[in-house]
Amino acid sequence: MKTEIKKFRKELKMTQEELAEAVDVTRQTIIALEQGRYNPSLILAYNVTKALKRKNIEEVFILEEI
């Protein structure tokens, strides 16, 4: 899954650690999400979206067609 997490996080001048703390996960989880190596649960996707001050999950997480 492609994400825009890094882009939006940098716009907010937020570190990976700060985002991780905001959504109650480890920094390694944020790294994996940013690199597209981890597909989050719906709750985590929602929390990341809100922490990045976005309104739609689809802005942050882009589903790639199979």
Side-chain angles (χ1 to χ4, degrees):
M1 176 181 299
K2 186 178 178 212
T3 74
E4 297 290 341
I5 295 171
K6 188 174 186 176
K7 174 184 151 188
F8 294 134
R9 179 176 60 75
K10 288 192 176 268
E11 284 178 6
L12 294 171
K13 296 180 174 46
M14 182 182 283
T15 66
Q16 290 173 332
E17 187 65 37
E18 289 169 334
L19 179 56
E21 288 177 15
V23 298
D24 199 29
V25 297
T26 65
R27 181 174 164 264
Q28 287 74 21
T29 300
I30 299 301
I31 292 168
L33 285 169
E34 286 185 352
Q35 295 175 347
R37 294 186 291 120
Y38 177 72
N39 290 330
S41 67
L42 186 56
I43 293 170
L44 179 54
Y46 175 82
N47 289 340
V48 169
T49 299
K50 292 301 174 192
L52 294 173
K53 300 185 186 328
R54 308 317 286 178
K55 293 186 180 186
N56 298 309
I57 289 175
E58 293 86 2
E59 288 181 81
V60 180
F61 297 92
I62 297 118
L63 292 174
E64 297 173 337
E65 293 193 32
I66 298 172

